[in-house]
């Protein structure tokens, strides 16, 4: 069973389109995240949610809108896609909002904007 | 803001050689975590260090936390092709339990 699953794994789309990435975790965790990894492998937090509530919005453009219908799901919707949005997006979860718990990552969604 | 730098950015080694990646933070860390990301894969947790000067081993991997808790290292003895990937240190103590990742070291192991 996949602990943190994202769909789709690959997404190729044209500039200006709107797209969504879905994430689900079956670990019973309270906290979920979105991270962005660029072409140089830099990994950066975008959002974190705890029990469906937004905790962190790391100065992400408001074209990006996360939605958490319940604590097991955290989806990411992106409006008006730009070339610079091309990256790998990782969903992750952790059991508690404490600094001694590991994060579990999904397999990533490779977004290519053309 | 806080920065977590890793050196080197890339490392090519022959199988059997040792490898070390160094992680340096601009601020004092409470804990530090290490993750491995295989090519095309996702980050996977390796270990967490908490105490000043702590050393932990996992088979051929040795992790160290500096005395001042501003740096850490990962040493791999006698690398194997299965060690290929990008190794990240990460500070787990940012607000909201976010991970602040280091810049990563990409390791390639050649036969």
């Amino acid at each position: 069973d996949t602990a943190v699953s994202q769909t789709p794994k690959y997404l190729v789309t044209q500039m200006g389109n709107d797209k969504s990435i879905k994430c689900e975790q079956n670990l019973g965790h309270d906290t979920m995240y979105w991270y962005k990894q660029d072409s140089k492998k830099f990994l950066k937090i975008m959002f974190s949610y705890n029990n469906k509530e937004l905790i962190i919005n790391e100065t992400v453009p408001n074209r990006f809108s996360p939605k958490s219908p319940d604590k097991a799901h955290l989806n990411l919707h992106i409006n008006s896609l730009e070339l610079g949005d091309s990256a790998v997006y990782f969903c992750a979860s952790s059991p508690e909002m404490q600094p001694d718990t590991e994060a579990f990552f999904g397999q990533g969604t490779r977004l290519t904007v053309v | 803001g806080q920065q977590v730098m890793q050196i080197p950015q890339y490392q090519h080694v022959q199988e059997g050689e040792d490898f070390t990646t160094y992680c340096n933070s601009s601020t004092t860390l409470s804990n530090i975590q290490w993750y491995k990301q295989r090519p095309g894969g996702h980050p996977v947790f390796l270990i967490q260090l908490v105490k000043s000067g702590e050393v932990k081993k996992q088979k051929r991997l040795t992790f160290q936390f500096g005395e001042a808790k501003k740096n850490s290292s990962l040493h791999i003895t006698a690398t194997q092709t299965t060690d290929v990937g990008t190794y990240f240190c990460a500070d787990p103590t940012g607000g909201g339990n976010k991970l602040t990742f280091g810049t990563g070291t990409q390791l390639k192991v050649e036969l």
Side-chain angles (χ1 to χ4, degrees):
Chain A
D1 286 345
T2 304
V4 181
S5 60
Q6 295 177 230
T7 54
K9 188 167 182 181
Y10 300 97
L11 188 51
V12 181
T13 188
Q14 291 188 327
M15 273 194 307
N17 284 350
D18 303 338
K19 290 293 178 186
S20 292
I21 307 172
K22 295 186 176 182
C23 179
E24 175 182 4
Q25 54 95 3
N26 62 6
L27 298 167
H29 291 169
D30 293 321
T31 309
M32 295 185 72
Y33 314 83
W34 279 108
Y35 285 86
K36 179 180 180 180
Q37 186 171 45
D38 65 20
S39 58
K40 295 185 178 179
K41 303 277 189 187
F42 297 147
L43 265 166
K44 191 172 178 187
I45 183 83
M46 298 174 70
F47 301 102
S48 81
Y49 270 71
N50 183 256
N51 268 318
K52 303 191 297 176
E53 284 192 32
L54 178 66
I55 304 298
I56 292 175
N57 178 341
E58 199 77 357
T59 62
V60 179
N62 57 16
R63 296 183 297 105
F64 291 78
S65 52
K67 283 190 173 50
S68 182
D70 55 62
K71 75 173 193 177
H73 295 84
L74 180 61
N75 304 322
L76 183 65
H77 187 77
I78 316 170
N79 289 326
S80 304
L81 279 155
E82 301 176 356
L83 292 176
D85 298 331
S86 296
V88 181
Y89 293 84
F90 286 101
C91 177
S93 71
S94 63
E96 298 171 18
M97 282 195 65
Q98 291 181 10
D100 57 355
T101 53
E102 68 181 272
F104 294 78
F105 284 79
Q107 303 223 343
T109 296
R110 182 173 293 276
L111 172 65
T112 303
V113 182
V114 297
Chain B
Q2 185 209 23
Q3 293 186 352
V4 183
M5 305 297 293
Q6 282 181 253
I7 54 170
Q9 188 176 359
Y10 302 96
Q11 184 82 60
H12 289 205
V13 299
Q14 296 285 322
E15 191 177 40
E17 292 181 338
D18 292 355
F19 159 77
T20 304
T21 172
Y22 300 91
C23 175
N24 296 289
S25 172
S26 58
T27 59
T28 301
L29 303 166
S30 297
N31 309 325
I32 193 155
Q33 296 182 355
W34 284 90
Y35 289 78
K36 176 184 178 181
Q37 183 180 17
R38 293 182 187 272
H42 57 281
V44 175
F45 176 82
L46 294 176
I47 207 161
Q48 176 164 270
L49 304 172
V50 178
K51 298 177 184 175
S52 168
E54 188 171 16
V55 178
K56 287 188 175 179
K57 292 191 176 186
Q58 289 180 351
K59 297 182 180 178
R60 295 178 295 103
L61 277 60
T62 302
F63 303 84
Q64 188 163 7
F65 203 4
E67 294 288 344
K69 301 184 80 174
K70 293 185 74 172
N71 57 72
S72 181
S73 65
L74 159 58
H75 179 83
I76 303 178
T77 304
T79 54
Q80 300 175 359
T81 54
T82 52
D83 296 325
V84 165
T86 303
Y87 292 85
F88 293 96
C89 61
D91 171 16
T93 55
N97 205 29
K98 70 176 182 182
L99 287 168
T100 300
F101 280 91
T103 47
T105 297
Q106 295 185 45
L107 172 65
K108 291 192 176 179
V109 180
E110 296 166 357
L111 292 171

